[in-house]
Amino acid sequence: MATAEITRQSVVPELDLDDLDSVLGLHIGTVNTLFVSRLEKRLDPLSVTPKQVAILWLVNANPGVKQTDLSRFFQIERPTVHQFVRQLIKNGFLINEPSKLDRRAGGLWLTDEGREVLTKSRQAIAEHEEQLTTALTAREKSELFRILMKLYLSAPAKD
């Protein structure tokens, strides 16, 4: 069975796309914006951003995790991670305690309020992703994850 090609031309037929529709980064960026901007609206009442939820999620799974590990995971600079963490601490969702072995190194732990916000955020994310991926079959979602991970893992490490 032949499948019709899906393009953005149908969204705005009066625009000449001049092959812009072939730029993968455009589509990834647009879908990312769609996912993130709508998720931000859902998370706003909880006083967290999607990146902050991801940090809470990782801290919950890895009590005492260091900010340098989070920086490597997200492939963003440590000062950027520090800004997210500082806000989470200010909001009462995380605590940063110095290591007993190395006072220069600190680890992150969730507070009770942080655990509560994470639980509510995870539910909001699950509902959000279910709504935005209803057009995909389970197999397509799995393939999308596989392809995205392949791109992520093959990308050069940040400088």
Side-chain angles (χ1 to χ4, degrees):
M1 175 166 89
T3 305
E5 183 179 357
I6 302 170
T7 69
R8 284 194 188 194
Q9 191 67 61
S10 64
V11 176
V12 194
E14 64 276 8
L15 282 181
D16 179 355
L17 300 184
D18 190 28
D19 209 28
L20 179 62
D21 215 27
S22 68
V23 178
L24 183 60
L26 170 74
H27 300 292
I28 291 172
T30 302
V31 170
N32 178 61
T33 299
L34 175 69
F35 269 73
V36 172
S37 64
R38 291 184 183 183
L39 181 57
E40 285 173 339
K41 288 178 185 170
R42 284 178 175 250
L43 295 176
D44 193 48
L46 300 173
S47 300
V48 288
T49 66
K51 187 74 77 186
Q52 289 172 334
V53 172
I55 290 171
L56 293 175
W57 204 314
L58 289 170
V59 171
N60 184 60
N62 304 276
V65 68
K66 294 178 182 63
Q67 291 184 44
T68 52
D69 294 329
L70 298 175
S71 174
R72 280 198 332 264
F73 174 81
F74 290 114
Q75 292 196 13
I76 58 177
E77 297 298 321
R78 191 182 175 286
T80 304
V81 170
H82 180 71
Q83 289 175 342
F84 290 122
V85 167
R86 188 173 58 217
Q87 187 62 51
L88 288 166
I89 291 169
K90 182 179 175 186
N91 289 353
F93 303 152
L94 281 182
I95 56 172
N96 185 5
E97 292 186 352
S99 166
K100 291 169 182 47
L101 300 174
D102 181 357
R103 305 287 298 164
R104 294 169 297 168
L108 300 171
W109 283 265
L110 284 182
T111 63
D112 289 341
E113 190 175 356
R115 265 185 282 289
E116 184 178 320
V117 165
L118 177 59
T119 298
K120 291 176 181 176
S121 296
R122 286 172 100 155
Q123 181 63 38
I125 290 167
E127 292 169 3
H128 171 70
E129 290 204 352
E130 182 64 32
Q131 286 177 346
L132 288 180
T133 61
T134 56
L136 300 178
T137 65
R139 185 174 181 182
E140 287 170 330
K141 276 172 59 171
S142 178
E143 182 66 2
L144 178 58
F145 272 109
R146 188 192 68 74
I147 291 168
L148 291 173
M149 286 309 303
K150 186 174 183 177
L151 289 172
Y152 169 80
L153 294 173
S154 67
K158 68 177 177 74
D159 298 333

